[in-house]
């Protein structure tokens, strides 16, 4: 059994491979959707206490998308919603522009790393904290705004804890700024957030722009990780449209945000039990499926080549 | 049931929670302002230590450096940099030599004495904060550092903010520069911020005696680079140079020469103390492209002609600004003034972090995630040295240089220093010593002269021709030159001036290589025909050799068990002594223990030849004066090593199957003259070779083996051996040398050497500082490691030499010499803890006073450690045997300090290990007096998969019948299984567990408490529940009835993951008990309730009362919780805060909180100091200690 690393034995990793997703993180988005109905597919409150009716999504932005499993989920969901039977829970007032199928890809995905293409997804390469990248995304939408912006951004961890948290926070703030340019009023923004020391400041910023902000921890995210997801619903729009990219006001007073655990993936688990990222499930190694999207051009590629060269010289 | 939202938190009462120290966390910054003073940071604490250099030299110095600690940011914030005033470049004498380091003129400072030096101040920064710390260098008359208060804005201005010791900026700070001006009280502070912005501030320090405020600050300019994005690093160079690195693999350089222009005229300041005016956008001078990953570090040299950078792509790059006008006008971004790449340095095997220039030697030094620092030639980019002051698998961030010295900071909380000139490595060249560069290490390969005997009749030929002819290129089988052995003869030997490597061959030759000239000398052969005639010994029989390095006595052993002894460079060239093997088998190995003790390792026995002490080497040749003992371990394995204790009474012998045999040399001798062991400790090194044994006291033996472990055992009364512990030394695949580095106050420091794969590595076991490393090219090759001549103070490893023999295609051999000249100069400071995040920690008492206590920690790095704390400071740390994978949980339980403490360590792959630790007699306890005994492991039948792991372990002391002290241990694992073990303190066996209960979801936390004759068990799961069970034990546990189907009670406390539980017994009577339970969840909440337990027959009836939940107790997962007394508890978690809560029936109220500096907070350990005071240990990426004082509340 030793051949597979811990990550590869993980139940969500295996499930992702089975379903053709490029990364196990797909399930985090699926679990968030199960709880919050972020695509507006159900058109009715998804769970008790969730009284916000999300917009039906036709355009979406995926920030920090590589290798692309969230984009795959977006692509699947948007296709189902807008091309399939058409009546899947559509509410009448939002079904207006369904007939006019957008010509352009309805999903824009951005990442520092190159990404293998996905149907219906426009992949841009860029740094989301850079003003120029933000402008590229805005340009693409040409006045049409998306109903959903997601961001799963995480900088490479350096191990200096506060630096990592700061950099992740900056990714989130940049994503939020881009969001004010591309998200339509009452739209939804979902982003990865490290629930670390200064998270309260980030919540405060988000609360300014959205009517409702919740923090969700899918069971597919390991218990022992700081990672969780902020789900921001009902973008207020003006006066918060098109905020300048790096003019951050001093952090506001930090605030508390309600926490929601989400674990419903009953569609995925054969026995209907709650899958738990902290539990080990039996594995059959012969069933192991090789990763679909191995990293494209890792930064250390040249370094590895040099090392191999050195070893050859020694022999 | 839910309580109202958290009550508004009042101002934190002073002194309730007090930061005591941060340990074992990544060293976030290092600074070397003077070769005698070293500063580094752990969390918000600035640590200062005098260097070994100040009191002695290098590792071997005996005095302990004097250290002190200062909390710079009282509310917590990790320090990322320390900057000293740069002298005004314009005031530098024009023809002065280039400043030693970064414009900071160390030579001037050295001459500054007394109070002036004591006044030295520095700017300390971390995240968005800055502080001005006075007296950072320390001095005998001003030992303490202090933070000055600063006022931002002008006095009397309406907006003036009250003075504060911490000054906060609008963005994250990557770099600062403190520039002196012509006014000695005024400095310019330039601050580089993370979004490519630079702010310039003027700092006017108050005159002496003004105690109200240390200085006044005003912002004089705001500059902004053109590129707008987040940056990962920034360096502020001289003359307004700014370099910054981005995630798009680019370095942006811009320059604003007027940055340091003074702007102190007060009339320009606005009401808020800032110069009003526009933000200046500064154009770019260059964009440096080439790195293939995120840029992590940039650094200018002192005159900004060069820029070095590091990146995710694992390279180090050097960039050069073309010669030209010294101060290019800003905006001159044209072809002629653009930077270019000089070289790219490859070699680091992980991300590179930081760089620095060693200006005095034209070198660049870089740190990386691979645990090393590399030294590069400034001009060529050749790698000149790999510095490994930190253990393997470490992460090394910070770097600073001061003259000849460099310092690096690791992620286990230690820093290491290096004397750079003495760490450079060169290829061996004769007369290299004459070159300017002082090369201290070299490597060279020397072909051994061909001494093969041309023969057609094979090995029976006895022709002994000097300088045998080269084998003719005929089609025939190659005759190989077979080496018998190698040895080092030191220069102190009376016969030669320089050290030599002596090689003996089966052709009978003795060849020696002069290490100063690199030339070979063919000596008088060791074999001569009279050996055959008188003793029937053929040269082809030889199989091993040992040379005594100072006397030059050579011993050669044969297949038949004979030993030939002769003198190296024997003037009279004739004398050979032969000790016949008698019926003993072939000699596998020979070892000179002293100049008058030789040990011959025959296959299954060893002979101990001893000469009376007074005899000199000449008399050694006289067999009649010899005594000989034959030791036969009888272990059915080859003997490999032995050691005699100081009194010479006891000997230990190790073999190829991991056994250690103990002999009493005063004991009886068998009829055949041989001795049998008094006892054998089996499998001390599993079934691997025991390579080395060393008595570390009269009764304790340290051993090293091919299992890569160090093992310690103890001789008990009646000549019994007891194994104390064994642990794998980082990355070692075989340990074959152990020696004493130094003796400090009665405790010894050991160094070890052995293989890490194909590399031969010597390290100091304290902190893993690397002393020597060389690639052998394969373990099968004959290798000889010599420590060299001991220094005067007795420290060893002064001139380590590794000699490796390799055979050539033509049948002859080469020797490759890897050598260090001179003393290793460098040191290691601070006590290291874990290399990776700590998952669990538990305090335990050691002595009768509470000023000393122990802490057991378990980490992702696969180890558990016992660390010793004295008056709140970490004094030492001992590693327990490694686990195969991460340690997830630990616990301790104590009956009575005098009997010691029981410890359990559990983790991935269901590993579970029990220990007992006791302080032997001394008060106050000393680390070397701790006895740690393994009690064996816990074993459970079922193991579902590789990822099946124990998440939690807890134990309680249970008195069993009679004197035997036993503990009840509970483990909870990822499959939801809860398993009970009953472990005695005396037994060393495998303890099998009983599956007690199975939860549907993984178990995350657990707790037990003894209530009369019952043990109450609490178990928390990923579902957010706590379930309760009671176990009746009376005098003993009835295991047949212990299994449960259903818990006695279940409560849903959290919506997700019950991460932590603590209990506190309020009242406990015969049949009725009241306990308090608190728990923390992944859903950011804390819960608290009362539990009544009433005895009904033999059952405990449980009833839960007054459940209180605070939903938004934290902004992140709560990971640790602990009762402080019967109404207060503390909680901590990923939000890096510790909160104190008061529980009264009907409400939970937050009393106070404090920021924690270590990240990845995983648990909270609690140790009662006095009735109203306790120490709280927060563990994660290190340990932070916080003192809680109830009286102040
Ligand atoms: C956890 S991965 C995203 C996984 C993705 N959601 C999926 O499901 O496949 C985080 C990504 O953030 C990207 N990233 C980090 N910093 C970025 C930045 N400044 N701009 C754009 N992308 C960034 C990384 O390249 C990385 O691919």
């Amino acid at each position: 059994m030793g051949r597979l690393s811990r990550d590869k034995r993980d139940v969500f990793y295996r499930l992702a491979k089975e379903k053709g997703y490029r990364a196990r993180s797909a399930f985090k988005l699926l679990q968030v959707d199960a709880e919050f109905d972020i695509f507006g597919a159900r058109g009715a409150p998804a769970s008790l206490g969730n009284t916000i009716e999300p917009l039906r999504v036709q355009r979406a932005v995926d920030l920090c998308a590589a290798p692309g499993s969230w984009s795959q989920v977006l692509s699947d969901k948007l296709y189902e919603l807008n091309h399939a039977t058409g009546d899947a829970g559509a509410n009448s007032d939002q079904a207006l522009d369904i007939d006019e199928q957008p010509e352009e890809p309805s999903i824009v995905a951005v990442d520092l790393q190159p990404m293998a293409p996905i149907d219906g997804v426009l992949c841009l390469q860029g740094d989301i904290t850079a003003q120029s990248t933000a402008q590229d995304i805005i340009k693409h939408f040409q006045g049409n705004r998306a109903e959903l912006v997601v961001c799963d951004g995480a900088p490479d961890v350096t191990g200096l804890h506060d630096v990592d948290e700061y950099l992740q926070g900056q990714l989130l703030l940049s994503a939020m700024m881009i969001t004010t340019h591309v998200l339509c009023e009452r739209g939804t923004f979902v982003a990865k957030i490290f629930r670390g020391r200064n998270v309260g400041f980030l919540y405060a910023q988000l609360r300014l722009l959205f009517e409702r902000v919740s923090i969700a921890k899918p069971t597919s995210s390991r218990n022992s990780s700081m990672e969780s997801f902020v789900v921001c619903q009902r973008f207020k729009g003006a006066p918060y449209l098109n905020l300048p990219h790096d003019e951050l006001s001093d952090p506001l007073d930090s605030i508390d945000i309600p926490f929601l655990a989400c674990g419903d993936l009953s569609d995925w688990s054969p026995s209907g039990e709650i899958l738990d990222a902290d539990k080990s499930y039996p594995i059959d190694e012969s069933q192991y499926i090789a990763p679909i999207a191995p990293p494209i051009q890792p930064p250390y590629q040249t370094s590895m080549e040099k090392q191999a060269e050195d070893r050859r010289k020694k022999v | 049931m839910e309580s109202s939202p958290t009550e508004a938190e009042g101002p934190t009462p002073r002194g309730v929670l007090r930061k005591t120290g941060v340990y074992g966390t990544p060293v976030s910054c290092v600074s070397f302002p003077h070769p005698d003073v070293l500063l580094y940071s752990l969390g918000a604490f600035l640590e200062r230590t005098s260097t070994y250099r100040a009191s002695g030299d290098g590792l071997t110095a005996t005095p302990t450096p004097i250290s002190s600690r200062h909390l710079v940011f009282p509310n917590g914030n990790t320090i990322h940099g320390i900057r000293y005033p740069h002298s005004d470049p314009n005031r530098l004498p024009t023809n002065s030599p280039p400043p030693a380091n970064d414009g900071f003129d160390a030579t001037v400072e050295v001459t500054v004495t007394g109070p002036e030096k004591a006044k030295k101040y520095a700017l300390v920064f971390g995240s968005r904060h800055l502080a001005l710390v006075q007296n950072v260098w320390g001095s005998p008359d001003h030992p303490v550092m202090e933070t000055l208060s600063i006022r931002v804005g002008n006095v009397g201005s309406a907006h003036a903010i009250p003075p504060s010791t911490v000054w906060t900026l609008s963005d994250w700070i990557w770099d600062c520069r403190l520039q002196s001006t012509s006014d000695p009280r005024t400095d310019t502070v330039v601050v580089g911020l993370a979004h490519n912005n630079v702010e310039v501030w003027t700092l006017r320090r108050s005159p002496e005696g003004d105690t109200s405020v240390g200085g006044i600050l005003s912002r004089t300019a705001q500059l902004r680079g053109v590129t707008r994005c987040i940056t990962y690093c920034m360096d502020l160079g001289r003359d307004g140079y700014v370099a910054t690195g981005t995630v798009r693999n680019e370095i942006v350089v811009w320059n604003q020469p007027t940055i340091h222009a003074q702007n102190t005229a007060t009339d320009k300041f606005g009401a808020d103390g800032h110069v009003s005016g526009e933000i200046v956008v500064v154009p770019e001078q260059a964009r440096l492209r080439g790195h293939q990953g995120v840029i992590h570090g940039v650094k200018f040299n002192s005159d900004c002609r060069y820029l070095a950078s590091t990146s995710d792509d694992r390279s180090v790059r050097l960039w050069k600004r073309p010669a030209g006008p010294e101060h290019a006008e800003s905006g001159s971004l044209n072809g002629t003034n653009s930077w270019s790449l000089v070289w790219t340095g490859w070699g680091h095997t992980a991300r590179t972090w930081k760089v620095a220039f060693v200006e005095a030697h034209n070198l660049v030094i870089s740190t990386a995630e691979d645990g090393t620092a590399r030294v590069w030639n400034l001009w060529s980019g050749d790698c000149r040295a790999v510095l490994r002051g930190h253990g393997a698998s470490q992460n090394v961030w910070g770097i600073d240089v001061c003259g000849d010295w460099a310092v690096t900071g690791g992620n286990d909380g230690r820093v290491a220093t290096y004397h750079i000139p003495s760490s450079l490595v060169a290829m061996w060249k004769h007369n290299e010593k004459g070159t300017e560069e002082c090369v201290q290490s070299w490597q060279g390969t020397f072909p051994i002269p061909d001494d093969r005997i041309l023969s057609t009749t094979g090995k029976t030929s006895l022709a002994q021709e000097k300088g045998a002819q080269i084998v003719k290129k005929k089609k025939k089988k190659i005759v190989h030159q077979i080496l018998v052995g190698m040895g080092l003869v030191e220069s102190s030997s009376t016969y030669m001036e320089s050290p030599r490597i002596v090689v003996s061959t089966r052709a009978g030759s003795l060849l020696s290589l002069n290490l100063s000239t690199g030339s070979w000398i063919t000596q008088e052969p060791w074999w001569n025909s009279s050996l055959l005639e008188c003793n029937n010994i053929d040269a082809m029989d030889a199989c091993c050799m040992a040379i005594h390095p100072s006397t030059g006595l050579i011993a050669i052993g044969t297949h038949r068990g004979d030993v030939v002894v002769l003198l190296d460079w024997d003037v009279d060239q004739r004398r050979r002594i032969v000790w016949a093997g008698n019926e003993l088998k072939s000699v596998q190995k020979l070892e000179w223990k002293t100049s008058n003790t030789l040990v011959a390792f025959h296959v299954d026995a060893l002979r101990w030849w001893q000469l009376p002490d007074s005899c000199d080497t000449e008399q050694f040749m006289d067999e009649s004066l010899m005594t000989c003992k034959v030791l036969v371990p009888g272990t059915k394995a080859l003997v490999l090593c032995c050691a005699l204790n100081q009194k010479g009474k006891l000997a230990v012998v190790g073999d190829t199957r991991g056994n250690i045999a103990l002999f009493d040399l005063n004991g009886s001798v068998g009829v055949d003259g041989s001795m049998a062991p008094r006892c054998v400790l089996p499998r001390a090194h599993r079934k691997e070779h025991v390579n080395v044994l060393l008595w570390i006291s009269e009764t304790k033996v340290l051993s090293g083996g091919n299992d890569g472990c160090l093992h310690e055992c103890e001789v008990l009364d009646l000549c019994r051996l007891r194994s104390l512990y064994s642990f794998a030394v980082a990355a070692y695949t075989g340990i074959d040398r152990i020696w004493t580095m130094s003796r400090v106050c009665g405790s010894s420091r050991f160094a070890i050497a052995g293989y890490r794969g194909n590399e031969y590595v010597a390290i100091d076991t304290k902190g893993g500082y690397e002393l020597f490393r060389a690639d052998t090219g394969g373990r099968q090759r004959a290798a000889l490691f010599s420590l060299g001549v001991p220094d005067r103070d007795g420290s060893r490893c002064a001139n380590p030499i590794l000699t490796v023999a390799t055979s050539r295609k033509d049948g002859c051999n080469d020797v490759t010499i890897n050598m260090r000249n001179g003393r290793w100069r460098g040191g290691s400071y601070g006590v290291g803890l874990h290399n990776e995040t700590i998952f669990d920690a538990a305090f335990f008492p050691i002595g009768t006073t509470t000023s000393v206590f122990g802490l057991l920690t378990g980490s992702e790095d696969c180890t558990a450690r016992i660390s010793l704390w004295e008056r709140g400071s970490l004094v030492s740390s001992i590693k327990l045997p490694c686990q195969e994978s991460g340690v997830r949980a630990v616990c301790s339980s104590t009956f009575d300090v005098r009997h010691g403490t029981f410890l359990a360590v559990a983790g991935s792959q269901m590993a579970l290990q029990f220990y007992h630790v006791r302080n032997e007699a001394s008060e106050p306890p000393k680390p070397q007096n701790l006895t740690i005994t393994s009690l064996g492991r816990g074993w459970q039948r079922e193991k579902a998969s590789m990822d099946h792991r124990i998440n939690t372990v807890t134990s309680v002391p249970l008195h069993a019948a009679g004197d035997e002290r036993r503990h009840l241990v509970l483990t909870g694992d990822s499959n939801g299984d809860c398993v009970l073990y009953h472990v005695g303190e005396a037994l060393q066996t495998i303890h099998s567990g009983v599956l007690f209960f199975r939860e549907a979801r993984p178990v995350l936390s657990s707790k037990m408490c003894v209530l009369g004759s019952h043990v109450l068990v609490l178990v928390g799961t990923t579902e957010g529940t706590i379930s309760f069970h009671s176990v009746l034990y009376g005098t003993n546990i009835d295991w047949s009835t212990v299994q449960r189907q259903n818990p006695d009670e279940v409560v849903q406390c959290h919506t997700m993951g019950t991460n932590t539980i603590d209990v506190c017994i309020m009242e406990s009577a015969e049949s009725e008990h009241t306990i308090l339970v608190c728990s923390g969840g992944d859903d950011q909440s804390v819960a608290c309730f009362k539990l009544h337990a009433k005895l009904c027959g033999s059952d405990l009836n449980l009833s839960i009362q007054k459940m209180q939940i605070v939903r938004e107790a934290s902004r992140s997962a709560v990971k640790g919780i602990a009762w402080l007394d019967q109404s207060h508890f503390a909680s901590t978690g990923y939000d890096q805060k510790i909160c104190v809560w008061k529980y009264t029936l009907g409400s939970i109220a937050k009393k106070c909180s404090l920021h924690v500096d270590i990240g990845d907070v995983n648990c909270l350990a609690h140790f009662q100091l006095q009735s109203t005071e306790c120490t709280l240990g927060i563990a994660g990426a290190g340990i932070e200690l916080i003192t809680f004082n109830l009286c102040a509340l």
Side-chain angles (χ1 to χ4, degrees), chain B residues 955-977:
Chain B
S955 63
V956 283
L958 281 188
H959 272 287
D963 215 17
E964 205 194 355
R965 291 182 300 275
R966 287 180 153 230
H967 300 259
L968 187 67
V969 182
L970 173 84
T971 62
D973 62 43
S974 58
N975 263 25
D977 292 354

Side-chain angles (χ1 to χ4, degrees), chain A residues 22-23 25-26 62 64-71 110-113 126-129 152-155 171 192, chain B residues 230 232 247:
Chain A
R22 295 176 182 184
S25 25
D62 184 3
C64 302
S69 73
W70 280 28
S71 294
V110 188
D111 201 283
L112 277 180
Q113 308 298 330
D127 169 10
I128 66 157
T129 74
D152 192 21
L171 272 189
K192 165 140 77 204
Chain B
I230 181 93
Y232 270 48
V247 272

Side-chain angles (χ1 to χ4, degrees), chain B residues 44 50 69-70 83 103 107 184 231 265 318 320 394 437 504 528 566 611 702 762 810 832 950-951 998:
Chain B
S50 63
R69 174 187 306 158
H70 176 59
R83 300 289 182 266
T107 51
T231 65
L318 187 78
K320 187 178 189 304
Q394 282 269 354
E437 204 169 50
S504 55
N528 58 24
L566 63 149
L611 193 70
L702 200 60
D810 66 3
I950 298 177
N951 285 329
R998 180 169 281 165

Side-chain angles (χ1 to χ4, degrees), chain B residues 683-970:
Chain B
R683 308 270 159 83
H685 288 271
R686 301 208 199 129
K687 274 183 173 171
E688 302 287 346
H689 293 196
V690 181
N691 295 323
V692 56
L693 290 157
L694 179 77
W695 288 88
I696 54 173
S697 75
E698 273 309 300
T699 54
K700 283 182 182 165
V701 179
L702 200 60
S703 57
N706 273 359
D707 55 350
C709 292
L710 273 180
H711 176 267
E712 190 179 323
C713 59
E714 182 186 26
V715 180
L716 305 172
D717 295 341
L718 302 167
C719 277
R720 301 268 101 207
L721 275 178
R722 176 168 72 149
S723 169
L724 290 175
Y725 61 84
S726 142
F727 66 81
V729 183
Y732 271 88
T733 46
I735 296 170
D736 60 15
R737 284 293 272 276
I738 308 176
W739 68 96
T740 312
M741 282 297 287
S742 63
R743 254 175 239 281
V744 184
C745 322
S747 78
S748 299
R749 261 168 83 176
F750 302 105
I752 61 167
Y755 286 92
R756 276 183 185 163
N758 284 346
E759 284 190 304
Y760 199 87
V761 184
I763 61 165
D764 182 337
T765 53
K766 186 199 171 208
Y769 197 100
E770 196 170 285
L771 304 168
F772 180 85
R773 169 187 295 246
D775 196 340
T776 61
R779 258 179 99 160
Q780 75 288 353
R781 293 180 173 172
L784 169 79
F785 181 65
S786 340
L787 295 177
V789 198
D791 277 2
R792 248 172 308 150
D793 56 4
S795 75
R796 298 294 300 267
C797 207
N799 311 293
I801 301 176
L802 181 77
T803 312
V804 181
T806 43
S807 55
R808 288 201 309 260
K809 280 205 185 83
D810 66 3
C812 269
N813 296 281
D814 288 338
V815 288
T816 302
I817 313 263
N818 299 273
M819 170 158 170
R820 289 195 56 81
N821 262 321
R823 199 197 267 268
W824 184 282
R825 299 172 71 196
S828 150
Y829 304 84
V831 182
L833 289 173
H834 295 278
N835 291 345
E836 280 174 69
T837 183
I838 300 170
F839 279 122
D840 203 3
F843 283 114
F844 58 91
I846 288 182
T848 46
T849 62
T850 52
S851 64
V852 182
F853 49 78
L855 179 69
L856 174 67
T857 47
S859 152
E860 176 85 330
D861 71 0
C862 306
T863 62
R865 278 179 174 271
I866 289 178
S867 39
L868 215 64
W869 306 69
E870 236 176 85
R871 269 170 257 103
S873 276
L874 176 60
V875 290
S876 77
S877 153
I878 304 160
K879 192 154 101 181
L880 291 175
C882 279
Q883 307 270 327
E884 268 168 54
S885 41
V887 177
R888 311 288 301 198
V890 298
C891 70
S892 71
S893 54
T894 315
F895 281 100
D896 179 328
V897 193
R898 284 167 301 159
H899 294 137
T901 296
F902 166 81
L903 307 173
V905 173
S908 302
Q909 299 187 26
M910 303 303 287
L912 176 61
Q913 205 79 41
F914 305 117
Y915 299 94
H916 182 252
V917 55
R918 197 155 60 99
N919 172 38
E920 301 283 353
S922 82
E923 255 338 304
K926 290 260 181 300
Q928 65 266 30
N929 292 324
L930 280 191
T931 304
I932 302 161
T933 317
S934 167
L935 300 179
R937 64 188 173 91
W939 182 79
Q940 197 216 342
R941 260 159 305 155
E942 274 179 89
K943 177 171 159 184
S945 79
M946 256 177 110
D947 299 314
H948 196 179
R949 61 163 188 257
I950 298 177
N951 285 329
T952 172
V953 62
T954 169
S955 63
V956 283
L958 281 188
H959 272 287
D963 215 17
E964 205 194 355
R965 291 182 300 275
R966 287 180 153 230
H967 300 259
L968 187 67
V969 182
L970 173 84

